[in-house]
Each structure stands twice: as C-alpha cells, then as structure tokens.
Amino acid sequence: MSHLNAFLKAGNRRTLAASFIYFDMSFMVWVLLGALGNFIAADFGLTGTEKGLMTALPILSGSAFRLALGPLGDRFGGRKVGMVGLALTLAPLVIGWQFAGSFSTVILTGLLLGVAGASFAVALPLASRWYPPEHQGLALGIAGAGNSGTVLASLFAPRLARAFGWEAVFGLALIPIVLTFIAFALLAKDSPTTPRAFGLKQYGRVLRQKDTGWFAAMYAVTFGGFVGLGGYLAIFLKDQYGLGRVHAGDLTALCVFAASFSRPLGGYLADRLGGIRLLIGLLGTIAALMLGVASLPPLAVMMLLLTAVMAVFGMGNGAVFQLVPLRFPRDIGTVTGLVGAAGGVGGFLLPFLLGSLRDRTGTYATGFLVFVAGALLTMLALAVAQRSWRSTWAPAHSAARVGLGRTEPGGVRGALEAGAGD
C-alpha cells in the first residue's frame, strides 16, 4: 500500500485522467471496423481474407501515424498534438457515416482511422513524463488501460448497427470524440520536462540502439496479440461457433475487458518484480494459452482460454512500457511511437493471417499456431538479450525494477555510456 500511496502523491492526476480518456475514446473508434465486421461482411459478401484485411488495415495505418505523432509530441507537446489527433479523427468517421457505400470506401475509412490508433504515441508519453521512474509502470498502465475502448466498441457498436445500420454507428461516434476533445483541452497539461527535439536525426539515434528492436519485438507479440485478436474476435466467434453478431460482440467485450484492466496490473507488477523477469514469464504463458486456442476446443473452454490470454496480453503491454522510460528517458515519445508501430504491425499480421490462412487451409488453427511460434521465438530472444543488459543500461536503475537480478559490478559506467546516445 505504501507504493500506491506514494503514487497517488506523485505526478499529475488530471493529465493522467486526460491521457486515459483520450486513449480510450480514440481506441474505441480505431477498432470500429472489427466491431462492425460481421455486419459489413454480410452486406458485401466478404471472404475470410477480405474480413481479415478490413480488420487489420486500421491497425497497420495506426503504426504509420504513430511514427509522426510520437516525435511531434516531443517537439510541440502532447497536449497540442493530442488535440490535433482528435480533430483529424473526425474525418474518417464522417466518411464511414456518409460515404461508405462500397468496400473500397470502407477500406479508405479504415486507413484513415489509423490516426485514432496513433493516440498511443501521444497519450502515454504525456502521462509518463509527470512520474518518477519508480512509478512508470503503474502510470503507463493506467493511461494504457484506455485500450478498454475496445470493450465499448464491442458492446455498443453491434447493438447500434442492428438498430440503426452500421453506417450510422460512425456518425454516432462523432459525439464522444467531440466531448473528448473538450475534456482533453481542459485537463491535459504538458510536463515541464517535455523535450523539444524532433527530426530524422532523433529517429536515427534510437534506431541505432538494438534495444529498440527488442522492445519492438516484445510489443509486436503483446500489443499485436491484443489489438489483432480483439479486433477479429467477433468475426472468429461467428465463423467458428455460429454465434449471432451481437452475442459475438458481447463475448469479445468480455475478453477485451480482461486485457484492458490487466494492463495496470502488468505495469504495477513490473515496478515490483522487474519488467524483464515478468515479460519472459508472460511470453511463455501466451504461447501455452494460444496453443490451447489453436486446438479449437468447445466454446466454453475457448472462452476461458481467450479471456486468460487476453489478460496476459494486457499485462505484457504494461510491462513493456515500464521499461521504455528507463532505457530511453530522453526519447520517450519517439521510442513509444516506434515500439507502438511495431505493435501495430503485429496487430495487422494476426487477423490477416487468421483470415487468409483459413481461406487456404480451411481452419483457423493454422494462424494461431504461427502466432505461438512467434511468441516462443520472442521469449527466447529476450532471454538472450537480457544477458547483455546486466552490464549496460540496467545497472543505472534498481535491479528489482528492471528485473534482471544482480547486475555486474562496474556496469553503471556502461549504462551511462549507453544512455549518452539516447
């Protein structure tokens, strides 16, 4: 409890709340095509590959937009860039509402919805910079729990689509985005420590650090698994188990709820146990649970497995971003954008593989097995990479916080040298 009490006294709670709301509402509209996928697929007679592509494209375009919004947040401040992001989000909602009479227009809407997914690269650094290292995991977990917007989309979008038509759902989504813009403008405040650097040189600096790649790989599995599976889950449940469109949305919401609200727990445990130690265990657990999913068991067993694996995805997301500010304290926005982009790529690949491989092999099991292999490879790579961290950047922080156990004597010098290039 002392850790939680100290957290409540630190940072800026108004900005933390603003970051959560911004991320939550943006995430809600970002995954709308997945939530409405069964309705859209019925209207246009889509194949499995087309359903996977429709669900996956907003996730991929979100990765591209994050590469811009992260450094822009570093340069101009998260508050201004967040307001711009919310304003731009209105455009695809209007297109989806008024002009989505063909599948090609739906694809265009999905591509433009990526700007909502880019909120990740603004909301997390905005909150993070207000909190000291010992509270990064919990702060980022709370802000990142805004991915609970998927719950709202899964619960309400199918019901609204059944009542008013799926096109109208995009128009109704304009209301919470406008209200969020107002709340964000009133509550958010940039930290005095926000850097003012921007450019290709900044990207080059962090890309030269191989640790950026390790964080990207971890997030491609944890966040990619969460957003990819969460977005495609309603389609999978209808196709595999013959559920109704609203019922499939309700079960999706249950799974996504577990993921969203386990993210702060993952950040908290990473603060207490160490991010690396926790991540190695979580990646192994993800592989085991997804292997069970790949067996395509009866619905009751499948729901237990899906809820559990989504919860572990959420914890993994929180653990990854507990480490980012420790390793890259001066480039949080840029690294958040890069790592978040990698998560989006993972989130694109999962539904696309599930849909396309089902068309080719006749079963969803193939796509899930590919994901199992990716999770195991990432776990093994992390186990190897953490050995070098014992003598480079990790000793500059508490060993318990990083999760590497004892670090090598004299390693602080290496940590300082590694950080000098950040």
Side-chain angles (χ1 to χ4, degrees), residues 44-217:
F44 296 116
L46 303 183
T47 66
T49 301
E50 289 171 331
K51 286 186 281 189
L53 181 65
M54 173 184 67
T55 305
L57 272 179
I59 304 172
L60 185 63
S61 63
S63 297
F65 281 113
R66 287 177 191 188
L67 295 177
L69 263 64
L72 285 172
D74 284 347
R75 175 64 180 87
F76 298 106
R79 181 177 179 273
K80 291 180 181 177
V81 175
M83 292 170 65
V84 171
L86 284 164
L88 292 175
T89 300
L90 299 176
L93 295 177
V94 171
I95 293 172
W97 176 30
Q98 293 293 324
F99 304 105
S102 66
F103 184 59
S104 60
T105 309
V106 171
I107 291 298
L108 173 63
T109 301
L111 287 170
L112 296 178
L113 281 173
V115 73
S119 59
F120 175 97
V122 179
L124 268 63
L126 179 66
S128 168
R129 291 194 176 99
W130 282 102
Y131 289 86
E134 62 269 21
H135 297 306
Q136 285 293 323
L138 185 54
L140 289 171
I142 292 172
N147 56 29
S148 59
T150 309
V151 178
L152 301 177
S154 300
L155 278 177
F156 296 113
R159 286 176 166 80
L160 292 171
R162 185 173 61 183
F164 304 108
W166 60 264
E167 298 94 336
V169 178
F170 290 100
L172 292 169
L174 291 166
I175 299 171
I177 293 299
V178 170
L179 294 176
T180 299
F181 181 94
I182 297 170
F184 187 80
L186 293 174
L187 294 174
K189 182 179 180 182
D190 288 309
S191 166
T193 63
T194 298
R196 293 290 183 265
F198 174 68
L200 293 177
K201 184 178 179 181
Q202 186 182 9
Y203 268 130
R205 183 168 64 247
V206 297
L207 284 171
R208 286 193 297 270
Q209 304 289 333
K210 64 180 181 181
D211 293 342
T212 304
W214 293 124
F215 290 139

Side-chain angles (χ1 to χ4, degrees), residues 276-289:
I276 297 300
R277 182 184 298 118
L278 181 62
L279 277 165
I280 290 175
L282 292 176
L283 287 167
T285 303
I286 287 169
L289 290 170

Side-chain angles (χ1 to χ4, degrees), residues 411-422:
V412 173
R413 180 178 180 182
L416 296 175
E417 290 173 353
D422 293 347

Side-chain angles (χ1 to χ4, degrees), residues 191-340:
S191 166
T193 63
T194 298
R196 293 290 183 265
F198 174 68
L200 293 177
K201 184 178 179 181
Q202 186 182 9
Y203 268 130
R205 183 168 64 247
V206 297
L207 284 171
R208 286 193 297 270
Q209 304 289 333
K210 64 180 181 181
D211 293 342
T212 304
W214 293 124
F215 290 139
M218 290 184 283
Y219 208 62
V221 173
T222 60
F223 183 78
F226 162 71
V227 71
L229 187 57
Y232 195 75
L233 200 51
I235 294 173
F236 164 73
L237 290 172
K238 182 179 183 298
D239 288 347
Q240 184 66 32
Y241 296 99
L243 301 184
R245 293 177 291 189
V246 173
H247 189 195
D250 290 343
L251 294 183
T252 298
L254 173 65
C255 295
V256 173
F257 180 87
S260 300
F261 291 98
S262 66
R263 182 164 183 153
L265 176 61
Y268 176 78
L269 291 176
D271 284 340
R272 307 301 291 169
L273 304 176
I276 297 300
R277 182 184 298 118
L278 181 62
L279 277 165
I280 290 175
L282 292 176
L283 287 167
T285 303
I286 287 169
L289 290 170
M290 288 294 274
L291 188 61
V293 170
S295 70
L296 303 177
L299 180 60
V301 177
M302 175 62 83
M303 288 309 302
L304 289 175
L305 289 170
L306 288 172
T307 303
V309 78
M310 291 291 277
V312 179
F313 281 144
M315 293 174 66
N317 295 338
V320 171
F321 276 95
Q322 181 256 6
L323 292 169
V324 168
L326 302 181
R327 175 62 182 88
F328 297 98
R330 285 184 280 176
D331 291 302
I332 300 174
T334 301
V335 177
T336 296
L338 286 168
V339 173

